[in-house]
Amino acid sequence: MNHNMTDTIVALSTPQGQGAIGVIRLSGKQAIEIVNSTFFAKDLLAVPANTVHFGKIRDEEGRVLDECVVTIFKAPHSYTKEDVVEISCHGSPYILDQVIQLMLRKGARMADRGEFTLRAFLNGQMDLSQAEAVADLIASENASSHELAIRQMRGGFSDQISALRQELIDFAALIELELDFGEEDVEFADRGKLENLVEEIQGVIKKLVDSFHLGNVIKKGVATVIAGRPNAGKSTLLNALLNEERAIVSEIAGTTRDTIEESMNINGIKFRLVDTAGIREAQDSIEKIGVERTLSEIGKSTVVIYVFDVWQTKPEELWEDVERFLSASRALTKGSKQLFVANKMDLNPYTKPEDYYKEGLIGAENLITASALNKMNIEAIKNELYRIVIENPDLMDQTIVTNSRHYDALHKALQSLDAVLVGLQGGITGDFIAMDIRQALHHLGLITGEIHTDDLLDSIFGRFCIGK
Ligand code: GDP
């Protein structure tokens, strides 16, 4: 990838193909000059920043390529902090291509993937985690992942990380100063204070690391399994949940027969409903083939909807089944959430839900009576699913890590800080402590881009589209 910042770059910033308009963007020292040499309405070099101009773009022979609207941004008040010109043309692929070719002949260079955002980063417009959020924002498919990306782009946890990093830098500097005094046995850096700081930072990082699971859940969809005995009404409930949502049905490659995944959207949160055919046979005998994968499906899920038939099921039977399935799948120990659906209420309308309550497992907060067949209380089930995700205390915390690169760096920073603590507690010499602090600083710096390598930038910006 080209990290040369002296060139003026050009690219189509709207999607390929026909459209009402297409926007071509240029950024760099010569951006205005290059466009001006093709634009004949007025002298763009003389116009003020943030202004819009209508005119014709002509090629070298004076042929009119298009009538366009040109917007002028001047450094540093632009997306890239460089001079930027956006040309809004008619959205014909032919015209757009002709205009771009003309800009190239006039001295611009074709932009690489993500190069506009790369420049924004290198010019200090945003930090690396914010730049990555731009890519997430473009790719976001639903309201909640969109919200996460926006939060991150506006700063997210970068400020937090930067502040903590600065405190660590100060300590590292003090410890390194001690080293300069060699034999003299001085201590500028208060070990007790440093220990407190490290613990405080670890606390913050741990929270961020923990939020990763949840962040991913929101981005990829909440894995939800519908479980229960045969004939409890699982498929009927699945259909009732999906019908109203016109679900997208997708088959997971490689598991053609027995796993179908469908997704539905509740108030902007995506739920992936995993329907395992195995569950059906698995119920009556826990030894049967298929039970393994059923349990593993339940074990992987964030939410289990456990359906039972109020006509057929006595409370004791329900408790026994639930304990058996949920503990065998480790859903109980893993802390996934359970929603119990007392189904077929139409057959047994006088059922008292309280009869099914069991301390610590089933109660008013997670039991819903329903009739999947008659679509009774389906809305309530959806509301409950939504609430389970939204009321997750981790989600209330404003900062959520969604990016696996950040997760990895946070994890490594945590390990280095562990080493610092062990060193402090073991009375290890300053040079080793300083080394571990530097290591932690390195990992934290990778998140915000205070430390970066060309390879890292290539892998991040290479995922962008051209023109962004
Ligand atoms: P699964 O084996 O758990 O997937 O159960 P199904 O969804 O296939 O349902 C088994 C039978 O129960 C079917 O005949 C359904 O029509 C019926 N059923 C499902 N939900 C209800 C309900 O709420 N009320 C009544 N009366 N029948 C239901």
Side-chain angles (χ1 to χ4, degrees):
M1 191 183 282
N2 203 327
H3 296 174
N4 180 346
M5 302 262 286
T6 55
D7 299 348
T8 294
I9 51 175
V10 63
L12 179 65
S13 283
T14 42
Q16 294 286 343
Q18 219 156 2
I21 58 168
V23 177
I24 293 165
R25 179 152 64 172
L26 292 93
S27 177
K29 285 203 177 59
Q30 290 178 288
I32 301 176
E33 191 183 317
I34 289 173
V35 178
N36 195 44
S37 68
T38 70
F39 188 77
F40 291 89
K42 58 182 88 155
D43 182 8
L44 295 175
L45 291 171
V47 303
N50 305 328
T51 50
V52 176
H53 309 276
F54 176 77
K56 295 187 176 76
I57 296 250
R58 293 175 193 266
D59 68 9
E60 296 89 337
E61 275 93 55
R63 208 161 50 102
V64 175
L65 296 185
D66 198 12
E67 289 189 334
C68 308
V69 170
V70 168
T71 314
I72 305 287
F73 303 90
K74 289 192 180 166
H77 304 292
S78 73
Y79 182 64
T80 56
K81 287 200 159 191
E82 301 175 332
D83 284 349
V84 167
V85 182
E86 286 180 2
I87 312 171
S88 303
C89 304
H90 291 98
S92 121
Y94 174 76
I95 291 177
L96 293 166
D97 186 54
Q98 291 290 302
V99 174
I100 290 177
Q101 294 299 333
L102 177 62
M103 299 302 151
L104 293 176
R105 291 198 300 275
K106 293 285 184 179
R109 161 171 75 72
M110 202 65 210
D112 280 327
R113 288 174 171 277
E115 197 170 358
F116 290 95
T117 310
L118 172 69
R119 287 188 175 196
F121 162 67
L122 292 174
N123 288 326
Q125 176 79 306
M126 55 178 83
D127 75 24
L128 204 50
S129 67
Q130 287 170 305
E132 290 170 291
V134 174
D136 283 346
L137 186 66
I138 296 171
S140 61
E141 288 174 355
N142 56 44
S144 44
S145 58
H146 175 260
E147 153 109 31
L148 282 182
I150 288 267
R151 246 191 238 167
Q152 185 56 39
M153 203 170 66
R154 293 212 184 113
F157 56 85
S158 354
D159 291 348
Q160 231 174 331
I161 297 281
S162 290
L164 294 173
R165 203 169 165 265
Q166 191 53 50
E167 288 194 55
L168 265 185
I169 289 176
D170 296 344
F171 259 107
L174 282 180
I175 291 186
E176 279 161 6
L177 196 62
E178 287 171 12
L179 300 179
D180 291 343
F181 285 78
E183 308 296 297
E184 292 172 40
D185 209 18
V186 287
E187 266 195 16
F188 296 118
D190 182 331
R191 298 296 191 265
K193 268 196 192 151
L194 177 58
E195 211 174 309
N196 289 343
L197 175 69
V198 169
E199 277 168 357
E200 186 196 331
I201 296 178
Q202 281 194 315
V204 174
I205 296 180
K206 270 195 191 116
K207 253 169 109 181
L208 290 171
V209 166
D210 290 344
S211 77
F212 180 68
H213 176 67
L214 191 79
N216 246 9
V217 158
I218 293 176
K219 233 162 107 173
K220 295 183 181 155
V222 182
T224 308
V225 166
I226 304 182
R229 286 190 179 190
N231 285 326
K234 299 181 294 295
S235 312
T236 313
L237 178 64
L238 179 71
N239 284 333
L241 286 169
L242 295 174
N243 272 347
E244 295 163 15
E245 283 294 331
R246 296 226 176 94
I248 309 147
V249 177
S250 63
E251 248 170 272
I252 301 173
T255 56
T256 42
R257 193 192 62 83
D258 48 355
T259 311
I260 304 259
E261 198 180 287
E262 330 220 11
S263 70
M264 67 171 174
N265 190 309
I266 306 175
N267 300 340
I269 294 183
K270 184 172 161 190
F271 287 81
R272 289 187 289 117
L273 291 166
V274 182
D275 177 23
T276 57
I279 280 183
R280 190 175 290 266
E281 290 85 50
Q283 308 304 301
D284 26 28
S285 147
I286 208 146
E287 293 80 27
K288 274 195 179 168
I289 304 171
V291 84
E292 284 289 320
R293 74 167 293 130
T294 302
L295 293 178
S296 114
E297 242 7 287
I298 295 178
K300 277 189 288 182
S301 65
T302 306
V303 179
V304 180
I305 304 178
Y306 193 90
V307 187
F308 64 96
D309 173 344
V310 292
W311 182 242
Q312 299 284 344
T313 323
K314 294 194 191 74
E316 301 74 36
E317 290 172 322
L318 172 69
W319 301 334
E320 197 186 309
D321 280 5
V322 165
E323 296 268 9
R324 201 174 55 158
F325 272 103
L326 298 185
S327 49
S329 65
R330 298 209 329 272
L332 286 175
T333 48
K334 196 176 62 79
S336 73
K337 303 277 184 211
Q338 288 97 44
L339 183 63
F340 296 94
V341 175
N343 192 32
K344 307 198 189 180
M345 282 300 281
D346 53 306
L347 296 180
N348 208 2
Y350 298 110
T351 305
K352 288 207 287 278
E354 305 85 77
D355 292 345
Y356 289 101
Y357 290 177
K358 184 159 176 82
E359 177 103 34
L361 190 65
I362 305 172
E365 70 292 345
N366 64 355
L367 177 75
I368 297 188
T369 54
S371 166
L373 193 66
N374 299 331
K375 300 219 163 85
M376 182 197 103
N377 258 0
I378 301 299
E379 258 336 281
I381 293 175
K382 286 188 181 177
N383 289 340
E384 205 52 31
L385 287 172
Y386 178 73
R387 196 184 59 80
I388 285 175
V389 175
I390 283 301
E391 286 191 0
N392 192 317
D394 295 335
L395 190 73
M396 288 294 131
D397 193 338
Q398 287 289 299
T399 40
I400 292 173
V401 177
T402 54
N403 183 300
S404 48
R405 191 182 74 78
H406 301 165
Y407 175 76
D408 188 49
L410 287 168
H411 215 77
K412 289 189 174 133
L414 212 51
Q415 285 173 342
S416 308
L417 289 173
D418 271 337
V420 174
L421 270 191
V422 170
L424 283 174
Q425 282 152 7
I428 247 168
T429 54
D431 43 352
F432 285 108
I433 293 177
M435 235 163 63
D436 290 327
I437 295 183
R438 288 282 161 208
Q439 201 61 38
L441 285 172
H442 172 81
H443 294 302
L444 292 178
L446 282 174
I447 296 177
T448 49
E450 276 146 319
I451 294 169
H452 61 261
T453 62
D454 283 355
D455 284 348
L456 175 65
L457 295 186
D458 286 354
S459 86
I460 290 173
F461 291 97
R463 286 186 287 122
F464 278 61
C465 39
I466 290 177
K468 186 66 227 180

